């Protein structure tokens, strides 16, 4: 049986090429006092473990492994994948002329630690979170800045998600509230996106009726929506009063009316005052036998260790609902939280997910390599949800360095990681690669347009160096009466006129 013999021979070559014995795979060992996310020894061992699991899958499927990629292919692939651009001429020559046998590992270390990696991860996060430059009536820059800072500081994934979904306060002091301000007035849609993004679970269909293709009921949707229902902005009564006063003088003093609009959007409308009610009323057209239209239901999680909010809770306890939801969402006991992020990052690095589509995981979803998927989840937990370290491990693998597979893989069918599939560059990769050709290394160029918190009035920055948006927000939030806020608006208008700009 020549084909089978060839497959076994190439499998042994794959294992030997990475310095791994074909014996039964062992767990990656921990390294001394260093945590797994800090230990290169642990991460290299984890990469070998992944290669063993991939190699075992090749043997079961009788797949013949592809050869190792050329240095030129590996260089281009890793630059595009890790930092989103092609290498410069100098970077390419330095790598190709390097005779060090560990130069691929050194390249991975360099790129994953670079500013370019952080910038590329921001593009990934921005797409996932549907980031925009501005919201309906508030600036989006503090939210963008919060995401970028979280990436640069390498905040663990579970902590970052927890901060997003439990965020409260002013957007100028806590940019994470942009996660909800982004969907202002659409909290049910926001919950549907939360479960899709972080749990790979699509429940939006159940907002109107029981899901026709999955187990989710309309009751499930509303019990989840209850956790964030009732979230409101800070001092809503003062915001409404300011809006009324601005409308009354709009025709006679448009400038003052516009300043009032600026104050509302920069303060009240860009804030989250509390954690919501934890309860919600069913819709008037609810048609199932488990409850009546308009019934009050409390929060109840979908799966795993259940977390509930009672409809009998006193009002003062309702503020705990979203905190409880955030705790449940990011818990290691949540059966989908770790699975979904491990699969997302596997696809980001390797090109094809262990299960597809990424955003529609169900009880029927089967990873192409169950043993590998199980280990990826374990690895994510061992690394304490350090998604930078997790990606470094994947880049270290021999599997990542296999040649490109010339055979087009059928959509949504299991793919066994035998080489990388060819695909088009993303718009961001094309732009940054063209920029690289034009100006050289673009990653060292500072100034991304999101560091400023200048007050912008009628499209122009005003009071630069005198007062920032954060200052304005803090000053307005300290006021407790409509008259005091209106006096502040009139004073701000005078400061803008005397300070220049905004005309």
């Amino acid at each position: 049986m020549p084909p089978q013999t060839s497959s076994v021979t190439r499998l042994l070559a794959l294992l030997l090429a990475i310095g791994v014995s074909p014996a039964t795979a062992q767990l990656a060992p921990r390294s001394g006092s260093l945590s797994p996310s800090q230990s290169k020894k642990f991460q290299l061992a984890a990469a070998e473990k992944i290669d063993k699991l991939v190699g075992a899958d090749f043997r079961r499927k009788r797949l013949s492994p592809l050869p190792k990629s050329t240095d030129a292919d590996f260089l281009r692939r890793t630059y595009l994948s890790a930092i989103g651009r092609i290498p410069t001429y100098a970077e390419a020559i330095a790598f190709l002329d390097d005779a060090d046998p560990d130069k691929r590992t050194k390249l991975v270390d360099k790129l994953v630690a670079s500013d370019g990696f952080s910038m590329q991860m921001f593009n990934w996060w921005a797409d996932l979170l549907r980031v925009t430059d501005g919201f309906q009536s508030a600036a989006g820059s503090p939210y963008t800045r919060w995401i970028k800072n979280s990436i640069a500081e390498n905040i663990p994934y579970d902590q970052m998600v927890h901060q997003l979904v439990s965020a409260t306060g002013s957007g100028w002091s806590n940019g994470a509230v942009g996660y909800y301000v982004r969907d202002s007035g659409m909290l049910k849609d926001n919950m549907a996106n939360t479960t899709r993004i972080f749990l790979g679970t699509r429940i939006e269909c159940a907002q109107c009726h029981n899901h026709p293709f999955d187990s989710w009921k309309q009751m499930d949707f509303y019990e989840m929506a209850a956790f964030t229902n009732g979230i409101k902005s800070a001092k809503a009564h003062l915001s409404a009063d300011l809006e009324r006063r601005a409308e009354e003088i709009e025709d006679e003093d448009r400038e003052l009316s516009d300043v009032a609009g600026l104050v509302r959007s920069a303060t009240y409308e860009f804030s989250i005052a509390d954690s919501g009610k934890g309860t919600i009323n069913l819709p008037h057209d609810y048609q199932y036998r488990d409850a009546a239209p308009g019934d009050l239901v409390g929060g109840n999680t979908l799966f795993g260790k259940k977390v509930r909010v009672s409809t009998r809770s006193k009002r003062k306890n309702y503020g705990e609902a979203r905190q409880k939801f955030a705790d449940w969402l990011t818990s290691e006991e949540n059966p989908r939280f770790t699975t979904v992020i491990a699969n997302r990052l596997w696809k980001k690095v390797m090109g094809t997910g262990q299960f597809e589509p990424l955003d529609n995981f169900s009880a029927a979803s089967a990873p192409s390599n169950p043993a590998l998927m199980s280990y990826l989840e374990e690895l994510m937990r061992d690394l304490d949800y350090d998604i930078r370290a997790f990606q470094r491990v994947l880049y270290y693998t021999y599997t990542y360095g296999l040649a490109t597979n010339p055979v087009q893989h059928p959509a949504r069918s299991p793919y066994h990681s035998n080489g990388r599939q060819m695909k088009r560059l993303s718009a961001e990769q094309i732009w940054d690669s063209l920029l690289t050709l034009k100006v050289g290394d673009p990653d060292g160029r500072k100034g991304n347009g999101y560091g400023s918190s200048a007050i912008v009035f009628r499209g122009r920055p005003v009071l630069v160096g005198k007062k920032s948006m954060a200052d304005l927000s803090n000053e307005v939030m300290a006021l407790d009466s409509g008259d005091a806020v209106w006096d502040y608006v009139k004073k701000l208008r005078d400061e803008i006129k005397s300070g220049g700009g905004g005309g």
Side-chain angles (χ1 to χ4, degrees):
M1 301 175 63
Q4 184 176 357
T5 302
S6 174
S7 175
V8 172
T9 300
R10 298 192 72 174
L11 172 61
L12 291 173
L14 168 65
L15 295 174
L16 292 173
I18 58 173
V20 176
S21 168
T24 303
Q26 301 295 318
L27 295 178
R30 293 178 179 267
S31 177
S33 60
L34 291 177
S35 69
S37 63
Q38 298 172 320
S39 170
K40 185 170 182 176
K41 180 179 179 180
F42 174 90
Q43 292 167 32
L44 287 170
E48 289 189 2
K49 167 69 174 177
I50 289 171
D51 286 323
K52 288 180 179 181
L53 293 169
V54 172
D57 196 45
F58 285 171
R59 183 169 54 192
R60 285 192 298 269
K61 307 299 181 185
R62 297 189 177 184
L63 296 174
S64 181
L66 292 168
K68 183 179 178 180
S69 60
T70 66
D71 281 347
D73 285 345
F74 183 88
L75 174 71
R76 179 179 183 275
R77 176 189 300 172
T78 307
Y79 265 85
L80 285 169
S81 178
I83 66 174
R85 65 170 175 85
I86 59 174
T88 65
Y89 177 78
E91 289 168 337
I93 293 301
F95 177 80
L96 295 174
D97 287 350
D98 189 353
D100 188 337
D102 292 328
K103 67 179 183 178
R104 294 193 178 195
T105 300
K106 286 166 46 181
L107 178 67
V108 168
D109 290 342
K110 169 189 169 184
L111 295 183
V112 172
S114 70
D115 289 340
F117 182 86
S118 295
M119 293 170 68
Q120 192 268 349
M121 281 302 298
F122 169 74
N123 288 337
W124 184 81
W125 268 109
D127 183 58
L128 198 62
L129 297 177
R130 304 167 298 122
V131 171
T132 57
D133 288 338
F135 305 137
Q136 296 177 33
S137 58
S141 57
Y143 183 36
T144 298
R145 187 161 56 248
W146 182 87
I147 296 171
K148 288 193 170 188
N149 289 342
S150 297
I151 295 168
E153 295 167 14
N154 199 30
I155 302 298
Y157 175 77
D158 56 339
Q159 294 180 29
M160 186 175 175
V161 174
H162 194 286
Q163 290 172 25
L164 275 176
V165 299
S166 64
T168 58
S170 165
W172 294 102
S173 58
N174 180 12
V177 304
Y179 183 69
Y180 290 103
V181 178
R182 160 72 176 81
D183 294 326
S184 179
M186 301 184 295
L187 288 175
K188 295 185 185 70
D189 292 338
N190 179 276
M191 177 55 74
N193 279 309
T194 296
T195 58
R196 176 185 59 81
I197 293 168
F198 303 120
L199 301 177
T201 303
R202 304 197 74 111
I203 63 170
E204 59 267 30
C205 187
Q207 181 174 349
C208 301
H209 49 73
N210 290 349
H211 201 299
F213 308 118
D214 212 327
S215 60
W216 313 124
K217 309 298 183 185
Q218 191 175 15
M219 178 64 78
D220 295 324
F221 179 90
Y222 275 87
E223 287 178 334
M224 285 287 284
F227 283 106
T228 56
N229 182 49
I231 291 175
K232 59 181 183 294
S233 59
K235 299 187 176 181
H237 64 293
L238 294 181
S239 178
D241 180 77
L242 181 56
E243 183 178 25
R244 177 186 58 79
R245 294 181 190 236
E247 289 175 349
E248 289 176 352
I249 56 92
E250 184 174 8
D251 292 336
E252 59 188 80
D253 194 338
R254 183 59 183 268
E255 185 178 49
L256 184 59
S257 177
D258 288 349
V259 172
L262 165 66
V263 169
R264 286 186 68 240
S265 65
T267 56
Y268 305 124
E269 294 184 7
F270 194 27
S271 67
I272 298 295
D274 57 30
S275 290
K277 298 178 180 179
T279 60
I280 194 170
N281 292 100
L282 295 174
H284 65 86
D285 58 350
Y286 191 79
Q287 57 183 322
Y288 300 103
R289 296 180 178 179
D290 53 352
D295 276 358
L296 187 68
V297 298
N300 187 14
T301 51
L302 290 173
F303 37 65
K305 185 178 181 181
K306 288 284 188 175
V307 174
R308 292 182 172 88
V309 176
S310 171
T311 56
R312 297 190 181 96
S313 296
K314 294 181 179 180
R315 182 76 181 178
K316 64 180 181 181
N317 295 326
Y318 283 162
E320 301 174 2
R322 190 152 52 98
Q323 182 70 34
K324 290 180 178 179
F325 174 72
D327 292 345
W328 168 81
L329 177 69
T330 59
S331 170
E332 289 187 6
E333 297 176 357
N334 188 321
R336 295 195 181 181
F337 181 72
T338 307
T339 301
V340 168
I341 185 57
N343 188 54
R344 282 194 187 280
L345 294 176
W346 178 268
K347 179 169 184 173
K348 180 180 178 296
V349 173
M350 299 295 187
T352 306
Q354 279 292 302
F355 58 83
E356 298 274 0
L358 302 182
D359 290 338
N360 198 14
F361 184 77
S362 70
S365 297
S368 57
N369 186 337
L372 173 60
M373 188 70 248
S374 179
Y375 178 67
L376 294 176
E377 295 169 24
E378 178 184 336
L379 176 62
M380 181 64 73
R381 288 188 286 266
D382 279 346
L383 293 173
D384 295 324
Y385 294 87
D386 183 330
I387 60 178
R388 190 182 291 254
F390 185 87
Q391 290 174 85
R392 187 185 297 113
V393 170
L394 300 189
Y395 287 123
Y396 281 161
T397 63
Y398 190 85
T399 301
Y400 170 77
L402 290 174
T404 302
N405 195 323
V407 179
Q408 182 64 37
H409 179 65
R412 299 198 178 189
S413 59
Y415 188 65
H416 299 281
S417 307
N418 192 11
R420 191 178 183 87
Q421 287 282 296
M422 290 184 288
K423 65 176 183 178
R424 294 183 178 91
L425 298 183
S426 68
E428 292 84 1
Q429 287 173 328
I430 293 173
W431 174 263
D432 285 347
S433 294
L434 290 173
L435 190 63
T436 300
L437 292 173
K438 177 66 176 177
V439 302
D441 177 9
D443 301 325
R445 300 170 75 91
K446 301 299 181 182
N448 55 28
Y450 295 106
S452 173
S453 63
I455 299 172
V456 178
F457 179 62
R458 292 181 173 177
R460 296 173 59 186
V462 297
L463 303 179
V464 177
K466 300 176 181 179
K467 191 190 296 288
S468 68
M469 278 287 202
D471 296 331
L472 188 157
S473 176
N474 290 335
E475 290 167 359
V476 173
M477 287 296 188
L479 303 176
D480 293 320
S481 73
D483 289 340
V485 174
W486 189 242
D487 288 341
Y488 182 93
V489 169
K490 289 188 286 187
K491 181 182 178 182
L492 180 63
R493 187 268 307 271
D494 294 341
E495 289 177 352
I496 291 174
K497 291 181 71 172
S498 62

